[in-house]
Amino acid sequence: MTQKKKLIAGNWKMNGSLQANAALLQALRDGLGEAACAVAVAVPAPYLAQVQGLVAGSAIALAAQDVSQHESGAFTGEVSAAMLRDFGTRYVLVGHSERRQYHGETDAVVAAKAQRALAAGITPIVCVGETLAEREAGQTEAVVKRQLAAVVQSNGQCISEIVVAYEPVWAIGTGRTATPEQAQQVHAVLRAQLAAATERADRVSLLYGGSMNAANAAQLLAQPDIDGGLVGGASLKAADFLQIIAAAH
Ligand code: G3P
């Protein structure tokens, strides 16, 4: 059982506008009060500067949704870790299943991205998770372990500085959440894998993601190895996101 502060991170995905972002952040700031957990929002890259301003002086940390595996140079369309740092980015998602699925990101690419983030002083939130077919074939454990192993191998002792998000692909945006027991089972596997790599595995926050909402958050967050949530759809509605934050203590 870990005693650290829970982390609730919203992943806005490709949603938002200058106006909508301002309204959402204002509502979050107004409703946040003394949140017992850490809070972050992962925003589309064009809004990093705007959101950096909107969260300044609040308990909300800025996160990005992706980072280049390259340091700098001729990589059109890419955003480097140093650029993210310029905007005060605290966390960056790497290896989200939508990046793996639609942009062909391999475990090696995800590991390289995590390395870039760490080198820039940004905490990578490494996303792992199995598809429905993989779960039904009994491969869940093997898949998440393979995905995490790539990051562990290339990041050595820094591995205790990462955050891991277990996001079963079949639970993302589907309204079909993993049961607290299913999620805990995988989180325990990930914790054991980290413990084999570092004595400080307890420092690593393990987030659950996949249709987390105001109604199911408390039960998921009560599991011993679930240290927070990575929230998609429900993070776009201030009232829902605030209820999830309130459930994390
Ligand atoms: O990264 C968050 C995520 O993929 C879960 O999305 O909409 O199912 O909460 P959602």
Side-chain angles (χ1 to χ4, degrees):
M1 168 106 51
T2 53
Q3 296 301 327
K4 59 190 164 294
K5 232 183 189 189
K6 286 192 164 44
L7 167 62
I8 301 295
N11 175 7
W12 292 0
K13 307 196 177 184
M14 199 172 71
N15 293 292
S17 65
L18 289 172
Q19 209 182 355
N21 302 345
L24 178 55
L25 265 315
Q26 190 57 54
L28 289 179
R29 288 188 67 141
D30 290 347
L32 203 52
E34 293 281 300
C37 67
V39 178
V41 288
V43 309
Y47 297 125
L48 286 168
Q50 180 207 17
V51 175
Q52 181 185 27
L54 292 172
V55 300
S58 82
I60 304 170
L62 181 60
Q65 297 177 10
D66 187 28
V67 63
S68 178
Q69 64 178 304
H70 305 288
E71 190 170 6
S72 64
F75 300 102
T76 302
E78 295 275 280
V79 175
S80 74
M83 293 170 187
L84 297 182
R85 192 182 46 205
D86 269 348
F87 293 96
T89 303
R90 168 89 178 73
Y91 303 95
V92 62
L93 308 183
V94 299
H96 191 282
S97 65
E98 287 149 18
R99 301 292 315 171
R100 294 180 191 261
Q101 189 179 349
Y102 306 134
H103 302 274
E105 290 191 10
T106 61
D107 295 338
V109 167
V110 174
K113 289 183 171 198
Q115 222 169 352
R116 287 284 174 214
L118 286 167
I122 297 170
T123 301
I125 300 179
V126 178
C127 303
V128 300
E130 81 288 2
T131 62
L132 186 57
E134 288 165 339
R135 172 162 283 264
E136 287 175 346
Q139 295 166 347
T140 299
E141 199 170 307
V143 169
V144 298
K145 282 170 94 170
R146 189 203 71 222
Q147 291 172 332
L148 183 58
V151 177
V152 169
Q153 278 156 22
S154 60
N155 287 282
Q157 271 311 303
C158 291
I159 205 65
S160 61
E161 307 304 319
I162 71 169
V163 169
V164 178
Y166 168 55
E167 297 206 318
V169 178
W170 48 271
I172 296 177
T174 59
R176 188 178 163 193
T177 318
T179 65
E181 295 72 28
Q182 283 174 323
Q184 166 58 29
Q185 202 177 5
V186 177
H187 281 230
V189 167
L190 296 171
R191 181 84 65 202
Q193 188 177 2
L194 289 164
T198 171
E199 283 169 7
R200 292 179 295 174
D202 263 11
R203 286 175 49 132
V204 179
S205 290
L206 301 181
L207 314 184
Y208 168 79
S211 298
M212 185 181 264
N213 58 38
N216 61 30
Q219 267 197 306
L220 286 158
L221 294 167
Q223 298 301 310
D225 286 300
I226 300 187
D227 305 314
L230 182 54
V231 185
S235 73
L236 297 170
K237 297 177 207 124
D240 290 11
F241 196 48
L242 287 167
Q243 282 187 60
I244 295 171
I245 291 166
H249 43 71

